[in-house]
């Protein structure tokens, strides 16, 4: 059945993918963002504005939406503390308060797996407690709690993606790819034996659409199947590009120390979470997903898609 859908943060990496997928559906899509998107799709109504200004101009607009997908967020290395709280907490709360006055509107909030920090248990399950390592994760936890406080549990879903990769998305691995290109050994905490998980951006977008169309309320992870060790992913990449990848072991505590130092010196665009969680296993319980949804890319395929963007190889 056709729905009226609002997507916030529509010009971001995930927002663009959502617009692309939904533009081919029978749904009526409104895409809202401060920035003009780098690519526009047919059958999408684009609005360039902030969420707060959008609500000020005509709050009645919200009443027409059956589904609101809130992807808008700001990353810690692109903002200071006040900006992070303003965008990720206060703006989200403003939106949620308005939605609480609506009937029959389903709300999807894109949170972060960073709320688990260095997880207390593996695999991460529905009962795993939060363990945030940075302010960004704390803002996500605060917004999740605000959603639970203001909305009925059947009217919302919270999605916590693992590291989002895909074509044109390299993330923390861009550093690794550069070292590989110039034959520089990669420092790997725990010799890279930690089992990690990613999610391919198209799969994440498909998951969001699946949850929205079926109104699968509750809290959901987003993680590609078949998580594997970091060293195995690197070895697979080496085979694909026909190149020996050199690595050396780093103590996890030393890895974290130097990572935090680089962050303080503003040399790299990462947070404490990257260096505090990265050295350890982190993947979700494979049984924890909505009924009927199937991922198209496993973890290795997802990692290679990201690498392919950098190396320009056809794997």
């Amino acid at each position: 059945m056709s729905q009226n859908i609002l997507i916030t943060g529509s010009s971001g990496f995930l927002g663009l993918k959502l617009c692309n997928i939904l533009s081919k559906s029978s749904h009526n899509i409104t895409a809202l963002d401060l920035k003009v998107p780098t690519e526009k799709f047919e059958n999408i109504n684009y609005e360039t504005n902030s969420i707060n200004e959008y609500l000020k101009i005509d709050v009645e607009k919200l009443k027409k939406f059956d589904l609101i997908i809130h992807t808008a967020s700001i990353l810690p290395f692109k903002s200071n503390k006040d900006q992070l709280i303003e965008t990720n907490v206060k703006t989200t709360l403003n939106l949620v308060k308005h939605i609480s006055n609506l009937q029959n509107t389903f709300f999807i909030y894109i949170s972060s797996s960073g709320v688990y920090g260095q997880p207390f248990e593996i695999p991460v399950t529905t009962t795993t407690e939060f363990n945030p390592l940075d302010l960004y994760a704390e803002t996500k936890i605060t917004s999740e709690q605000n959603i639970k406080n203001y909305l009925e549990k059947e009217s919302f879903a919270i999605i916590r993606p693992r590291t989002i990769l895909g074509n044109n998305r390299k993330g923390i691995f861009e550093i690794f790819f550069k070292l590989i290109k110039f034959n520089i050994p990669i420092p790997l905490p725990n010799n890279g034996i930690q089992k990690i998980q990613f999610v391919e951006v198209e799969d994440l977008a498909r998951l969001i659409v699946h949850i929205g169309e079926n109104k699968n309320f509750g809290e959901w992870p987003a993680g590609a199947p078949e998580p594997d060790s970091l060293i195995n992913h690197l070895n697979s990449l080496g085979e694909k590009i026909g190149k020996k990848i050199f690595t050396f072991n780093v103590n996890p505590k030393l890895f974290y120390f130097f990572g935090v130092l680089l962050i303080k010196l503003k040399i790299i665009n990462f947070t404490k979470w990257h260096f505090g969680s990265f050295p350890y296993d982190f993947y979700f319980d494979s049984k924890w997903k909505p009924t009927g949804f199937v991922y198209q890319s496993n973890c290795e395929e997802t990692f290679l898609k990201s690498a392919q963007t950098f190396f320009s190889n056809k794997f």
Side-chain angles (χ1 to χ4, degrees):
M1 186 174 74
S2 178
Q3 297 187 65
N4 293 317
I5 301 175
L6 171 66
I7 304 171
T8 71
S10 56
S11 70
F13 185 59
L14 174 58
L16 282 171
K17 184 58 68 173
L18 276 167
C19 287
N20 186 8
I21 290 175
L22 287 169
S23 69
K24 302 167 187 174
S25 72
S26 62
H27 301 304
N28 301 309
I29 312 301
T30 298
L32 175 66
D33 203 299
L34 273 170
K35 300 177 181 178
V36 176
T38 55
E39 183 178 7
K40 289 189 175 182
F41 305 96
E42 294 182 357
N43 307 316
I44 302 282
N45 173 38
Y46 288 95
E47 297 213 21
T48 305
N49 211 337
S50 71
I51 293 172
N52 290 332
E53 288 301 314
Y54 181 82
L55 294 173
K56 282 182 184 178
I57 292 170
D58 188 3
V59 71
E60 294 295 311
K61 287 182 178 181
L62 283 187
K63 290 183 178 179
K64 74 176 183 179
F65 295 114
D66 306 296
L67 172 62
I68 296 176
I69 303 172
H70 185 42
T71 76
S73 185
I74 191 168
L75 297 172
F77 50 82
K78 292 185 177 180
S79 60
N80 58 39
K81 179 180 178 180
D82 290 340
Q83 291 171 323
L84 199 65
I85 293 173
E86 180 66 33
T87 300
N88 291 1
V89 177
K90 294 181 180 180
T91 297
T92 298
L93 178 57
N94 187 27
L95 177 61
V96 168
K97 284 181 176 179
H98 282 87
I99 294 172
S100 69
N101 296 319
L102 306 179
Q103 293 182 345
N104 303 317
T105 298
F106 194 75
F107 180 63
I108 297 180
Y109 176 62
I110 311 304
S111 185
S112 168
S113 61
V115 299
Y116 297 105
Q118 182 185 334
F120 288 124
E121 61 179 344
I122 294 294
V124 175
T125 69
T126 56
T127 60
T128 302
E129 295 182 6
F130 292 157
N131 182 31
L133 299 179
D134 58 15
L135 179 60
Y136 176 75
E138 290 173 1
T139 65
K140 292 295 185 178
I141 291 172
T142 300
S143 286
E144 285 193 22
Q145 190 57 55
N146 286 336
I147 291 167
K148 294 173 184 177
N149 289 341
Y150 280 91
L151 303 183
E152 297 294 329
K153 68 176 183 178
E154 295 85 3
S155 67
F156 70 86
I158 293 170
I159 302 177
R160 303 183 188 118
R162 287 296 293 127
T163 302
I164 305 171
L165 297 179
N167 292 326
N168 299 313
R169 177 84 167 204
K170 299 177 285 292
I172 191 173
F173 297 106
E174 182 172 12
I175 297 174
F176 284 19
F177 299 154
K178 287 180 178 178
L179 294 177
I180 293 169
K181 181 178 180 180
F182 294 106
N183 297 312
I184 300 173
I186 301 172
L188 292 185
N190 285 327
N191 277 316
I193 63 171
Q194 64 271 33
K195 187 181 288 187
I196 55 179
Q197 189 175 36
F198 321 108
V199 63
E200 206 275 330
V201 64
E202 184 158 348
D203 272 340
L204 175 55
R206 289 177 51 251
L207 174 66
I208 293 167
V209 173
H210 178 92
I211 288 173
E213 290 180 336
N214 294 282
K215 292 184 167 51
N216 298 121
F217 64 87
E219 301 164 38
W220 301 102
E226 302 173 35
D228 203 351
S229 67
L230 177 58
I231 191 64
N232 282 351
H233 286 307
L234 290 173
N235 289 337
S236 178
L237 172 60
E239 291 177 4
K240 291 292 184 180
I241 62 176
K243 194 168 189 176
K244 172 68 175 177
I245 296 177
F246 302 96
T247 65
F248 65 94
N249 185 47
V250 178
N251 181 281
K253 291 182 179 179
L254 193 62
F255 183 79
Y256 180 75
F257 173 81
F258 280 109
V260 171
L261 180 62
L262 292 173
I263 292 168
K264 287 183 177 180
L265 295 174
K266 297 183 178 180
I267 294 175
I268 54 176
N269 291 332
F270 298 111
T271 73
K272 292 179 181 179
W273 173 78
H274 289 94
F275 295 96
S277 174
F278 189 70
Y280 305 101
D281 291 345
F282 192 159
Y283 54 93
F284 288 110
D285 182 353
S286 61
K287 296 178 183 178
W288 184 14
K289 64 179 181 179
T291 302
F293 181 76
V294 178
Y295 288 94
Q296 293 180 341
S297 299
N298 63 23
C299 281
E300 180 177 319
E301 292 165 339
T302 300
F303 181 72
L304 291 177
K305 283 183 182 180
S306 182
Q308 190 171 14
T309 303
F310 185 89
F311 292 101
S312 300
N313 286 45
K314 292 186 178 181
F315 299 160

